[in-house]
Amino acid sequence: MKLTTTLLSVPLLVSGAAWAELPQPPLADVRPHTVTSPHGDRIDPYYWLRDDARSSPEVIAYLEAENAYALAFQAAYQPVVEKLTQELIGRMPQDDSSVPYVMGDYLYSSRYEAGKEHPIYVRTPVAGGDEQIILDVNALAEGHDYFVVANWSVSPDQTKLAYLEDTTGRRQYQLRIKDLTTGALLDDSITGLSSSLAWSADSKHLFVVENDPVTLLSTKVYRHQLGKPVAERALVYQEHDNSFFMGVGNTRDRNFVIIGLYSTVSNEFHVLDASQPEGEFQLVAPRQRDFKYSVDHIAGRWIISTDWDAPNNRIMTVGQEKLGNRDHWQELIAHDEQVFIESFIAFEDYLAINERSDGLRRIRLLDWQDLSKQQFLASDEPSYVMAFSVNPEQNQQWLRYTYTSLTTPSSVYEVHMKTGERRLLKQQEVLGGFDQSQYRTERVWVPVEDGVKVPVSLLYRKDFERDGSAPLYQYAYGSYGFSMDPFFRSNILSLVDRGFVYAIAHIRGGQEMGRHWYEDGKLLNKVNTFTDFIAVTDYLVEHKYAAADTVIGMGGSAGGLLMGAVANMAPEKYLALVSHVPFVDVVTTMLDESLPLTTNEYDEWGNPNDKVYYDYMLSYSPYDQVREQAYPALFVTTGFHDSQVQYFEPAKWVAKLRTVNTSERPILFRTTMEAGHGGRSGRFARQEQVAEEYGFLLEMVRQAQQQRP
């Protein structure tokens, strides 16, 4: 194995004796609390760590004690963390800008300036003229420890900008409206919103979604008329089924406002003529269990992607006058058992489809005049990702798309849909001496216990030798049908350049191989995601991609649940596991309907009020299944204001692990007190968090390598 020697001079923590010199990790008080359910009670010794108000001095003191312990442990390899931070930031261009795109009379783009954490959004008249800064997030973020603009939208008359900001990380947004002719903020402001919005055609009305203040579920759609008191906003839709969440938006032709309602297995859309903002919304097709669809509008008709009698989706159409009943839909693109349709873009002359074949995302172009005429955009790499870029105008002949792989930085192309001519507009710049030719990507298929083959994307250096000595950093997610594609990540080079193999395990629970891949990894099939991950580890070790004593797993959120389950099921196979914002207290959370994201996820995890699901979830819930055994080293993170996975889930999990772990391997728990589910908000601040994780892993690997015979 060819490890670089840059960091090897840093002192090692070589034994339990050395660790004993550190402060002892904090031990939370045991305060038994009874968690009731229809199927029996459970005792939770650390339930007291839940503080919904986030104001308890003793809870905050415990989290800060864990942070202090993690930093004390990190002190031994702090030079590594500092070097990694400089290295990670050093790959990022200080000045960077996006490819401009035309929308209306302007070219829109964003850029970063040297030393600044946040983007600046600008526009320039297509006909020529000076650049206008429409939103400088750096200026808005001044005085805030956390600041994010989640969404912004320019009014149809191009004179106003609506945007949604978050200053805590809890993803509860405040609406702001800026007059682009004067630069002044309007008095109109609404709090407690989701991140979606839509304009009326007259640029005088905004449609927004209000969240329930307790559950944070999106429950109400309001129409607000600019200039009027926000208290007079009109309720235009209210959802009473708490298994659905919703959003609003405009069709690409901007002729309609859309209310979208979504659950795990079904959805529903209501549409309104944007020129009649005070009119009535019209139902596209009523919700029905196990029926999903998405819609867009072009040239007087609706284009629909749906799983109706088509698990991998098909494309259909219906006229505006026949909305309300799916029996009027007409098929345009038939279902294919081997190809999963992810999304589409309808242009005046062409239909573009982003689809999956053999787990890889490709783009197919079709001519409206003859849908049998089709072309596929090509790739020369075994593992890659093609996805749509920004295409706001329907009358264009050029399709913008992105191409990337584990070795190819993200690249924006445009292709002429008639001639096939392709142009590279921009490739992500990677500084720090990056040379694409020095890396290789590979795709392997791993047979698992039930005969299924799981695709795995691999990245390693050109000079890598498959001799069973390399450390492995294995990532997966495996939930919600979210596919973890092999995107380029400059950060991972800091591990690969030090001899690691990087693997993305495309396990069941995602949708890489089609809808059935998702169905086979949720509800009563959830354990497949865990056993798939372990089987991939076994395969990569057996086939000498990795050394058995330096295997690291990583996952976040639902992927953090994956890490927790793997830690209980196969701790001996992993040197360390990284679990970011992990969903680990499955049963208690899913029993509590007051928590965000509980009720609208019953079809993902199961409803624990049903004993079959209760027992099954309890059988793998990481917090409940913690037991006395030797655990891998663990690096666990959370955000104090996380609204998706509450901070107290990983806090309780770590507290419990500390009482039963029989190994000397460390458990570090880092809470970002000023952030939520996504971590810190600045582009450089995020790199510091990555450096802490990588520094810990390098320390664990060095120790393991030193202890080899």
Side-chain angles (χ1 to χ4, degrees):
M1 178 180 56
K2 297 175 175 61
L3 281 173
T4 60
T5 59
T6 310
L7 304 179
L8 298 184
S9 62
V10 177
L12 305 180
L13 294 177
V14 296
S15 68
W19 291 339
E21 297 172 5
L22 293 168
Q24 291 298 304
L27 293 177
D29 290 343
V30 173
R31 304 178 189 176
H33 173 87
T34 301
V35 179
T36 61
S37 84
H39 314 297
D41 296 342
R42 292 154 45 247
I43 300 300
D44 185 344
Y46 302 108
Y47 192 90
W48 67 271
L49 287 170
R50 173 177 174 173
D51 173 29
D52 291 344
R54 287 161 172 75
S55 60
S56 166
E58 61 179 350
V59 170
I60 293 172
Y62 171 74
L63 297 177
E64 290 179 340
E66 284 283 4
N67 280 343
Y69 171 73
L71 290 175
F73 187 91
Q74 183 177 302
Y77 54 91
Q78 183 61 29
V80 175
V81 175
E82 292 173 0
K83 181 173 180 61
L84 284 166
T85 302
Q86 296 170 3
E87 190 175 296
L88 296 170
I89 293 175
R91 291 197 191 98
M92 303 168 59
Q94 289 285 315
D95 297 296
D96 196 15
S97 60
S98 66
V99 178
Y101 60 88
V102 175
M103 186 171 66
D105 298 324
Y106 293 89
L107 279 164
Y108 288 84
S109 64
S110 63
R111 67 169 181 264
Y112 284 97
E113 293 183 349
K116 294 187 177 181
E117 291 272 13
H118 302 282
I120 299 170
Y121 297 99
V122 301
R123 70 179 184 179
T124 307
V126 173
D130 295 334
E131 174 189 273
Q132 178 186 13
I133 294 176
I134 60 174
L135 207 58
D136 183 346
V137 183
N138 299 285
L140 297 174
E142 289 182 4
H144 297 284
D145 292 328
Y146 181 96
F147 190 90
V148 164
V149 171
N151 189 15
W152 59 268
S153 180
V154 175
S155 62
D157 66 7
Q158 304 174 98
T159 65
K160 290 174 282 293
L161 175 77
Y163 63 93
L164 293 147
E165 65 181 30
D166 177 13
T167 59
T168 67
R170 198 145 175 81
R171 299 186 179 180
Q172 304 305 299
Y173 301 100
Q174 181 169 6
L175 173 69
R176 303 283 193 182
I177 304 171
K178 181 179 180 179
D179 186 327
L180 293 177
T181 60
T182 66
L185 284 178
L186 305 186
D187 292 334
D188 312 65
S189 182
I190 307 175
T191 59
L193 304 179
S194 78
S195 61
S196 62
L197 52 85
W199 283 100
S200 63
D202 62 8
S203 301
K204 295 180 180 179
H205 301 82
L206 272 169
F207 294 82
V208 295
V209 178
E210 184 177 84
N211 297 332
D212 183 278
V214 176
T215 66
L216 307 186
L217 292 173
S218 44
T219 56
K220 298 176 181 177
V221 177
Y222 283 96
R223 182 187 66 245
H224 168 63
Q225 184 172 343
L226 272 61
K228 285 193 172 183
V230 296
E232 297 180 12
R233 63 191 186 277
L235 178 66
V236 297
Y237 184 87
Q238 182 169 2
E239 179 54 50
H240 297 285
D241 185 341
N242 60 10
S243 68
F244 283 79
F245 64 94
M246 63 180 161
V248 294
N250 292 104
T251 52
R252 283 181 65 246
D253 63 8
R254 306 182 187 93
N255 289 336
F256 289 86
V257 175
I258 301 178
I259 298 173
L261 298 125
Y262 311 88
S263 76
T264 303
V265 298
S266 61
N267 52 23
E268 182 177 84
F269 291 89
H270 301 252
V271 298
L272 171 70
D273 187 332
S275 67
Q276 304 294 325
E278 297 183 9
E280 296 294 324
F281 279 85
Q282 186 176 3
L283 179 64
V284 175
R287 69 187 67 175
Q288 181 176 319
R289 187 166 179 83
D290 298 319
F291 166 50
K292 300 186 76 174
Y293 65 101
S294 61
V295 300
D296 197 11
H297 185 267
I298 187 170
R301 64 172 177 165
W302 292 90
I303 310 299
I304 303 163
S305 175
T306 180
D307 66 354
W308 177 28
D309 292 335
N312 281 345
N313 294 331
R314 54 179 169 157
I315 304 293
M316 308 189 80
T317 188
V318 68
Q320 174 68 26
E321 70 283 357
K322 293 185 177 180
L323 285 186
N325 186 341
R326 71 180 186 182
D327 290 339
H328 296 304
W329 296 1
Q330 297 178 315
E331 185 174 87
L332 295 173
I333 307 297
H335 176 254
D336 187 332
E337 292 183 357
Q338 304 302 317
V339 177
F340 178 76
I341 295 174
E342 286 225 328
S343 60
F344 68 87
I345 298 181
F347 297 95
E348 286 184 356
D349 298 324
Y350 297 91
L351 176 66
I353 298 176
N354 201 193
E355 60 190 24
R356 290 185 182 275
S357 177
D358 289 330
L360 296 175
R361 284 175 70 179
R362 68 185 184 188
I363 291 176
R364 177 167 38 144
L365 301 177
L366 302 100
D367 189 325
W368 279 125
Q369 299 302 314
D370 183 356
L371 291 176
S372 66
K373 291 182 180 180
Q374 59 182 18
Q375 59 174 308
F376 295 93
L377 305 187
S379 168
D380 297 324
E381 296 182 282
S383 184
Y384 64 90
V385 188
M386 286 184 190
F388 295 135
S389 184
V390 182
N391 292 275
E393 302 289 344
Q394 291 185 335
N395 62 354
Q396 61 196 56
Q397 295 293 307
W398 293 84
L399 168 74
R400 291 256 181 108
Y401 71 98
T402 60
Y403 177 91
T404 185
S405 75
L406 291 176
T407 60
T408 304
S410 180
S411 307
V412 179
Y413 286 90
E414 63 180 7
V415 60
H416 195 280
M417 289 180 280
K418 181 177 182 179
T419 67
E421 178 187 352
R422 189 177 73 157
R423 300 190 295 220
L424 174 63
L425 303 178
K426 177 183 173 63
Q427 185 173 83
Q428 174 188 350
E429 186 179 7
V430 183
L431 304 179
F434 171 70
D435 181 354
Q436 182 177 349
S437 70
Q438 297 304 304
Y439 302 90
R440 296 288 182 267
T441 182
E442 183 182 351
R443 200 154 180 257
V444 298
W445 294 84
V446 174
V448 299
E449 190 173 291
D450 60 2
V452 169
K453 289 187 176 181
V454 175
V456 182
S457 298
L458 299 172
L459 173 69
Y460 42 76
R461 283 191 63 87
K462 176 184 177 181
D463 56 2
F464 164 72
E465 295 178 6
R466 187 149 62 95
D467 59 7
S469 65
L472 172 67
Y473 184 79
Q474 180 179 319
Y475 168 72
Y477 186 74
S479 292
Y480 300 106
F482 292 168
S483 299
M484 297 297 107
D485 291 311
F487 289 98
F488 181 85
R489 291 180 57 209
S490 66
N491 285 350
I492 204 65
L493 300 178
S494 289
L495 296 182
V496 174
D497 284 346
R498 290 171 172 83
F500 278 72
V501 170
Y502 173 51
I504 302 176
H506 305 288
I507 57 179
R508 284 174 286 185
Q511 219 156 218
E512 287 91 337
M513 300 298 292
R515 183 70 179 182
H516 75 93
W517 206 246
Y518 171 43
E519 300 289 346
D520 288 347
K522 70 170 186 172
L523 295 176
L524 299 178
N525 294 319
K526 188 65 210 169
V527 171
N528 284 338
T529 66
F530 316 142
T531 55
D532 282 0
F533 187 89
I534 296 168
V536 168
T537 298
D538 290 342
Y539 178 93
L540 295 176
V541 170
E542 179 185 351
H543 289 78
K544 298 187 181 302
Y545 285 96
D549 63 346
T550 52
V551 176
I552 293 161
M554 192 276 274
S557 195
L561 160 66
L562 168 66
M563 293 300 102
V566 166
N568 289 328
M569 294 170 66
E572 74 284 356
K573 298 186 179 188
Y574 298 89
L575 169 66
L577 294 172
V578 178
S579 191
H580 292 301
V581 292
F583 174 41
V584 285
D585 192 14
V586 181
V587 178
T588 301
T589 292
M590 294 304 294
L591 282 168
D592 189 344
E593 296 186 9
S594 72
L595 290 173
L597 305 182
T598 292
T599 53
N600 61 12
E601 296 199 356
Y602 283 157
D603 288 317
E604 177 71 30
W605 309 103
N607 185 340
N609 294 298
D610 182 327
K611 190 174 189 313
V612 172
Y613 290 109
Y614 177 89
D615 290 343
Y616 188 76
M617 286 190 285
L618 193 62
S619 74
Y620 68 75
S621 172
Y623 182 59
D624 291 286
Q625 294 304 318
V626 166
R627 59 188 179 275
E628 185 173 323
Q629 62 179 343
Y631 280 91
L634 289 167
F635 188 88
V636 184
T637 68
T638 191
F640 191 47
H641 298 283
D642 195 334
S643 60
Q644 291 184 263
V645 179
Q646 307 291 317
Y647 77 87
F648 44 81
E649 290 203 35
K652 295 195 304 176
W653 181 47
V654 168
K656 194 173 185 180
L657 282 165
R658 293 206 185 283
T659 67
V660 297
N661 183 20
T662 61
S663 80
E664 292 184 335
R665 291 174 178 169
I667 300 173
L668 301 192
F669 178 41
R670 293 286 276 127
T671 301
T672 305
M673 301 301 292
E674 71 279 8
H677 199 64
R680 297 174 186 164
S681 57
R683 59 172 175 157
F684 301 130
R686 285 193 292 268
Q687 305 311 310
E688 296 171 6
Q689 292 183 301
V690 176
E692 288 191 3
E693 173 196 334
Y694 286 4
F696 176 77
L697 299 181
L698 288 171
E699 180 70 14
M700 296 302 101
V701 168
R702 281 193 294 270
Q703 292 182 48
Q705 290 175 339
Q706 189 177 48
Q707 293 167 9
R708 287 175 179 169

